[in-house]
Amino acid sequence: RKEVEQDPGPFNVPEGATVAFNCTYSNSASQSFFWYRQDCRKEPKLLMSVYSSGNEDGRFTAQLNRASQYISLLIRDSKLSDSATYLCVVNWDATNKLIFGTGTLLAVQP
Amino acid sequence: SAVISQKPSRDICQRGTSLTIQCQVDSQVTMMFWYRQQPGQSLTLIATANQGSEATYESGFVIDKFPISRPNLTFSTLTVSNMSPEDSSIYLCSVSATGETQYFGPGTRLLVL
């Protein structure tokens, strides 16, 4: 089983659509979880941290299910500028080692 | 978040040569890391750069191939030694002030011929 697993996509959605990405991780001892966004030929940028209680930042909602070792990201009212690769990232252990998923490609169409 | 710069931003090198990549942060940070992103793939951690001591390497990466320095809390270098075409990749440094959330530099694109 991969350490962090994501559907690579691509997800092609129209503007205004709601889209959800899922991610699973294999290490039950992992403590911190993140979604990063990576635009083409750019470095990853932190989108949001993911907390057990779930958290929301504008159009973006992240959820964590520790029992199922599952993380999700929901994007509402998609914009063209949301087109990017979304990386699910898990802080693996106490050494602060980050494990990256392969990323999910989102293409928002006009 | 900290402002992170990397030099060079890109380079084309001949096989057998070495390239040193610099990472500079505008504020002191607890931790600095070096990652590699091969074409079409996600990021893989190479090593944690430790200030004043030897870097901590991940499985599959060794000091002879990727020597790392971290002389202070704002600067680190990664050298890619005796390069081969397989080393063609993007090399990214990241920093963390809290030991949890990491922020990435713009990356160095390396092509080895």
mmCIF file of all heavy atoms in Angstrom, chain A residues 61-87:
data_model
loop_
_atom_site.group_PDB
_atom_site.id
_atom_site.type_symbol
_atom_site.label_atom_id
_atom_site.label_comp_id
_atom_site.label_asym_id
_atom_site.label_seq_id
_atom_site.Cartn_x
_atom_site.Cartn_y
_atom_site.Cartn_z
ATOM 1 N N THR A 61 -12.953 23.366 2.071
ATOM 2 C CA THR A 61 -13.228 22.656 3.327
ATOM 3 C C THR A 61 -12.397 21.378 3.356
ATOM 4 O O THR A 61 -12.409 20.620 2.392
ATOM 5 C CB THR A 61 -14.718 22.297 3.452
ATOM 6 O OG1 THR A 61 -15.499 23.491 3.410
ATOM 7 C CG2 THR A 61 -14.984 21.568 4.757
ATOM 8 N N ALA A 62 -11.696 21.174 4.453
ATOM 9 C CA ALA A 62 -10.886 19.968 4.613
ATOM 10 C C ALA A 62 -11.435 19.146 5.766
ATOM 11 O O ALA A 62 -11.891 19.688 6.767
ATOM 12 C CB ALA A 62 -9.433 20.339 4.883
ATOM 13 N N GLN A 63 -11.388 17.836 5.583
ATOM 14 C CA GLN A 63 -11.875 16.923 6.620
ATOM 15 C C GLN A 63 -10.851 15.827 6.843
ATOM 16 O O GLN A 63 -10.167 15.401 5.913
ATOM 17 C CB GLN A 63 -13.190 16.265 6.185
ATOM 18 C CG GLN A 63 -14.379 17.206 6.086
ATOM 19 C CD GLN A 63 -15.041 17.456 7.424
ATOM 20 O OE1 GLN A 63 -14.676 16.852 8.435
ATOM 21 N NE2 GLN A 63 -15.984 18.372 7.450
ATOM 22 N N LEU A 64 -10.776 15.359 8.088
ATOM 23 C CA LEU A 64 -9.887 14.255 8.442
ATOM 24 C C LEU A 64 -10.709 13.187 9.147
ATOM 25 O O LEU A 64 -11.473 13.496 10.062
ATOM 26 C CB LEU A 64 -8.771 14.756 9.376
ATOM 27 C CG LEU A 64 -7.936 13.707 10.093
ATOM 28 C CD1 LEU A 64 -7.138 12.875 9.105
ATOM 29 C CD2 LEU A 64 -7.010 14.376 11.118
ATOM 30 N N ASN A 65 -10.549 11.955 8.736
ATOM 31 C CA ASN A 65 -11.172 10.822 9.404
ATOM 32 C C ASN A 65 -10.050 9.889 9.838
ATOM 33 O O ASN A 65 -9.521 9.118 9.030
ATOM 34 C CB ASN A 65 -12.140 10.116 8.452
ATOM 35 C CG ASN A 65 -12.884 8.967 9.121
ATOM 36 O OD1 ASN A 65 -12.324 8.229 9.937
ATOM 37 N ND2 ASN A 65 -14.139 8.796 8.778
ATOM 38 N N ARG A 66 -9.665 9.982 11.097
ATOM 39 C CA ARG A 66 -8.530 9.188 11.587
ATOM 40 C C ARG A 66 -8.841 7.695 11.572
ATOM 41 O O ARG A 66 -7.967 6.872 11.303
ATOM 42 C CB ARG A 66 -8.141 9.614 12.999
ATOM 43 C CG ARG A 66 -7.429 10.952 13.070
ATOM 44 C CD ARG A 66 -6.905 11.202 14.468
ATOM 45 N NE ARG A 66 -6.315 12.512 14.605
ATOM 46 C CZ ARG A 66 -5.048 12.791 14.313
ATOM 47 N NH1 ARG A 66 -4.246 11.834 13.873
ATOM 48 N NH2 ARG A 66 -4.577 14.014 14.466
ATOM 49 N N ALA A 67 -10.066 7.343 11.889
ATOM 50 C CA ALA A 67 -10.422 5.919 11.958
ATOM 51 C C ALA A 67 -10.235 5.248 10.602
ATOM 52 O O ALA A 67 -9.759 4.109 10.509
ATOM 53 C CB ALA A 67 -11.854 5.764 12.439
ATOM 54 N N SER A 68 -10.598 5.959 9.547
ATOM 55 C CA SER A 68 -10.466 5.416 8.189
ATOM 56 C C SER A 68 -9.167 5.839 7.521
ATOM 57 O O SER A 68 -8.920 5.433 6.375
ATOM 58 C CB SER A 68 -11.642 5.867 7.334
ATOM 59 O OG SER A 68 -12.862 5.468 7.908
ATOM 60 N N GLN A 69 -8.372 6.681 8.190
ATOM 61 C CA GLN A 69 -7.097 7.177 7.639
ATOM 62 C C GLN A 69 -7.353 7.817 6.275
ATOM 63 O O GLN A 69 -6.736 7.433 5.252
ATOM 64 C CB GLN A 69 -6.061 6.043 7.585
ATOM 65 C CG GLN A 69 -5.700 5.586 8.982
ATOM 66 C CD GLN A 69 -4.708 4.434 9.016
ATOM 67 O OE1 GLN A 69 -4.663 3.670 9.972
ATOM 68 N NE2 GLN A 69 -3.913 4.274 8.005
ATOM 69 N N TYR A 70 -8.201 8.806 6.293
ATOM 70 C CA TYR A 70 -8.765 9.382 5.079
ATOM 71 C C TYR A 70 -8.843 10.895 5.254
ATOM 72 O O TYR A 70 -9.242 11.394 6.305
ATOM 73 C CB TYR A 70 -10.155 8.756 4.937
ATOM 74 C CG TYR A 70 -11.072 9.331 3.928
ATOM 75 C CD1 TYR A 70 -11.194 8.763 2.669
ATOM 76 C CD2 TYR A 70 -11.871 10.421 4.241
ATOM 77 C CE1 TYR A 70 -12.095 9.271 1.754
ATOM 78 C CE2 TYR A 70 -12.773 10.937 3.332
ATOM 79 C CZ TYR A 70 -12.879 10.342 2.092
ATOM 80 O OH TYR A 70 -13.761 10.848 1.182
ATOM 81 N N ILE A 71 -8.438 11.616 4.200
ATOM 82 C CA ILE A 71 -8.463 13.075 4.207
ATOM 83 C C ILE A 71 -9.205 13.531 2.962
ATOM 84 O O ILE A 71 -9.070 12.903 1.906
ATOM 85 C CB ILE A 71 -7.029 13.642 4.159
ATOM 86 C CG1 ILE A 71 -6.174 13.075 5.291
ATOM 87 C CG2 ILE A 71 -7.038 15.163 4.243
ATOM 88 C CD1 ILE A 71 -4.696 13.173 4.998
ATOM 89 N N SER A 72 -9.968 14.594 3.081
ATOM 90 C CA SER A 72 -10.678 15.093 1.902
ATOM 91 C C SER A 72 -10.521 16.605 1.779
ATOM 92 O O SER A 72 -10.224 17.304 2.746
ATOM 93 C CB SER A 72 -12.165 14.731 1.987
ATOM 94 O OG SER A 72 -12.759 15.412 3.078
ATOM 95 N N LEU A 73 -10.699 17.070 0.562
ATOM 96 C CA LEU A 73 -10.707 18.503 0.278
ATOM 97 C C LEU A 73 -11.891 18.781 -0.624
ATOM 98 O O LEU A 73 -12.038 18.132 -1.668
ATOM 99 C CB LEU A 73 -9.414 18.939 -0.406
ATOM 100 C CG LEU A 73 -9.349 20.398 -0.835
ATOM 101 C CD1 LEU A 73 -9.298 21.308 0.385
ATOM 102 C CD2 LEU A 73 -8.135 20.669 -1.731
ATOM 103 N N LEU A 74 -12.729 19.715 -0.219
ATOM 104 C CA LEU A 74 -13.899 20.108 -0.999
ATOM 105 C C LEU A 74 -13.706 21.537 -1.478
ATOM 106 O O LEU A 74 -13.379 22.417 -0.683
ATOM 107 C CB LEU A 74 -15.165 20.002 -0.138
ATOM 108 C CG LEU A 74 -16.491 20.313 -0.829
ATOM 109 C CD1 LEU A 74 -16.906 19.125 -1.691
ATOM 110 C CD2 LEU A 74 -17.573 20.631 0.183
ATOM 111 N N ILE A 75 -13.901 21.754 -2.762
ATOM 112 C CA ILE A 75 -13.829 23.102 -3.322
ATOM 113 C C ILE A 75 -15.200 23.446 -3.874
ATOM 114 O O ILE A 75 -15.723 22.747 -4.750
ATOM 115 C CB ILE A 75 -12.780 23.190 -4.448
ATOM 116 C CG1 ILE A 75 -11.415 22.709 -3.957
ATOM 117 C CG2 ILE A 75 -12.694 24.622 -4.974
ATOM 118 C CD1 ILE A 75 -10.341 22.670 -5.042
ATOM 119 N N ARG A 76 -15.770 24.508 -3.362
ATOM 120 C CA ARG A 76 -17.084 24.966 -3.827
ATOM 121 C C ARG A 76 -16.900 26.113 -4.814
ATOM 122 O O ARG A 76 -15.902 26.845 -4.773
ATOM 123 C CB ARG A 76 -17.928 25.445 -2.647
ATOM 124 C CG ARG A 76 -18.378 24.348 -1.707
ATOM 125 C CD ARG A 76 -19.228 24.910 -0.565
ATOM 126 N NE ARG A 76 -18.456 25.845 0.246
ATOM 127 C CZ ARG A 76 -17.622 25.470 1.201
ATOM 128 N NH1 ARG A 76 -17.439 24.186 1.470
ATOM 129 N NH2 ARG A 76 -16.952 26.380 1.876
ATOM 130 N N ASP A 77 -17.897 26.267 -5.704
ATOM 131 C CA ASP A 77 -17.899 27.388 -6.641
ATOM 132 C C ASP A 77 -16.531 27.529 -7.327
ATOM 133 O O ASP A 77 -15.868 28.574 -7.247
ATOM 134 C CB ASP A 77 -18.254 28.676 -5.888
ATOM 135 C CG ASP A 77 -18.479 29.858 -6.807
ATOM 136 O OD1 ASP A 77 -18.778 29.628 -7.996
ATOM 137 O OD2 ASP A 77 -18.323 31.008 -6.355
ATOM 138 N N SER A 78 -16.111 26.492 -8.018
ATOM 139 C CA SER A 78 -14.782 26.447 -8.633
ATOM 140 C C SER A 78 -14.540 27.644 -9.534
ATOM 141 O O SER A 78 -15.416 28.071 -10.298
ATOM 142 C CB SER A 78 -14.642 25.163 -9.454
ATOM 143 O OG SER A 78 -14.773 24.029 -8.645
ATOM 144 N N LYS A 79 -13.319 28.156 -9.466
ATOM 145 C CA LYS A 79 -12.870 29.254 -10.330
ATOM 146 C C LYS A 79 -11.821 28.722 -11.300
ATOM 147 O O LYS A 79 -11.150 27.724 -11.027
ATOM 148 C CB LYS A 79 -12.240 30.376 -9.495
ATOM 149 C CG LYS A 79 -13.039 30.817 -8.288
ATOM 150 C CD LYS A 79 -14.275 31.566 -8.684
ATOM 151 C CE LYS A 79 -14.993 32.109 -7.444
ATOM 152 N NZ LYS A 79 -16.347 32.604 -7.782
ATOM 153 N N LEU A 80 -11.664 29.426 -12.402
ATOM 154 C CA LEU A 80 -10.616 29.051 -13.359
ATOM 155 C C LEU A 80 -9.255 29.006 -12.671
ATOM 156 O O LEU A 80 -8.417 28.153 -12.961
ATOM 157 C CB LEU A 80 -10.580 30.033 -14.528
ATOM 158 C CG LEU A 80 -11.797 30.057 -15.436
ATOM 159 C CD1 LEU A 80 -11.635 31.164 -16.487
ATOM 160 C CD2 LEU A 80 -11.999 28.710 -16.117
ATOM 161 N N SER A 81 -9.053 29.930 -11.730
ATOM 162 C CA SER A 81 -7.766 30.031 -11.039
ATOM 163 C C SER A 81 -7.518 28.884 -10.054
ATOM 164 O O SER A 81 -6.417 28.766 -9.518
ATOM 165 C CB SER A 81 -7.685 31.359 -10.286
ATOM 166 O OG SER A 81 -8.767 31.479 -9.378
ATOM 167 N N ASP A 82 -8.529 28.046 -9.847
ATOM 168 C CA ASP A 82 -8.325 26.882 -8.981
ATOM 169 C C ASP A 82 -7.608 25.752 -9.720
ATOM 170 O O ASP A 82 -7.197 24.770 -9.108
ATOM 171 C CB ASP A 82 -9.669 26.342 -8.457
ATOM 172 C CG ASP A 82 -10.362 27.307 -7.503
ATOM 173 O OD1 ASP A 82 -9.650 28.118 -6.856
ATOM 174 O OD2 ASP A 82 -11.607 27.262 -7.412
ATOM 175 N N SER A 83 -7.476 25.875 -11.015
ATOM 176 C CA SER A 83 -6.806 24.843 -11.812
ATOM 177 C C SER A 83 -5.362 24.693 -11.344
ATOM 178 O O SER A 83 -4.591 25.661 -11.384
ATOM 179 C CB SER A 83 -6.841 25.192 -13.299
ATOM 180 O OG SER A 83 -8.175 25.276 -13.767
ATOM 181 N N ALA A 84 -5.020 23.500 -10.912
ATOM 182 C CA ALA A 84 -3.695 23.236 -10.348
ATOM 183 C C ALA A 84 -3.651 21.758 -9.960
ATOM 184 O O ALA A 84 -4.626 21.032 -10.121
ATOM 185 C CB ALA A 84 -3.435 24.106 -9.103
ATOM 186 N N THR A 85 -2.512 21.340 -9.434
ATOM 187 C CA THR A 85 -2.399 20.013 -8.828
ATOM 188 C C THR A 85 -2.505 20.166 -7.321
ATOM 189 O O THR A 85 -1.824 21.016 -6.738
ATOM 190 C CB THR A 85 -1.063 19.350 -9.196
ATOM 191 O OG1 THR A 85 -1.017 19.140 -10.614
ATOM 192 C CG2 THR A 85 -0.906 18.008 -8.492
ATOM 193 N N TYR A 86 -3.332 19.353 -6.695
ATOM 194 C CA TYR A 86 -3.552 19.422 -5.252
ATOM 195 C C TYR A 86 -2.860 18.223 -4.604
ATOM 196 O O TYR A 86 -3.151 17.074 -4.927
ATOM 197 C CB TYR A 86 -5.055 19.462 -4.947
ATOM 198 C CG TYR A 86 -5.640 20.792 -5.367
ATOM 199 C CD1 TYR A 86 -6.011 21.015 -6.695
ATOM 200 C CD2 TYR A 86 -5.759 21.839 -4.465
ATOM 201 C CE1 TYR A 86 -6.505 22.251 -7.106
ATOM 202 C CE2 TYR A 86 -6.252 23.074 -4.851
ATOM 203 C CZ TYR A 86 -6.614 23.272 -6.174
ATOM 204 O OH TYR A 86 -7.097 24.496 -6.584
ATOM 205 N N LEU A 87 -1.946 18.532 -3.711
ATOM 206 C CA LEU A 87 -1.112 17.514 -3.078
ATOM 207 C C LEU A 87 -1.591 17.242 -1.651
ATOM 208 O O LEU A 87 -1.696 18.169 -0.847
ATOM 209 C CB LEU A 87 0.351 17.983 -3.037
ATOM 210 C CG LEU A 87 0.999 18.274 -4.378
ATOM 211 C CD1 LEU A 87 2.283 19.071 -4.195
ATOM 212 C CD2 LEU A 87 1.303 16.976 -5.110
#
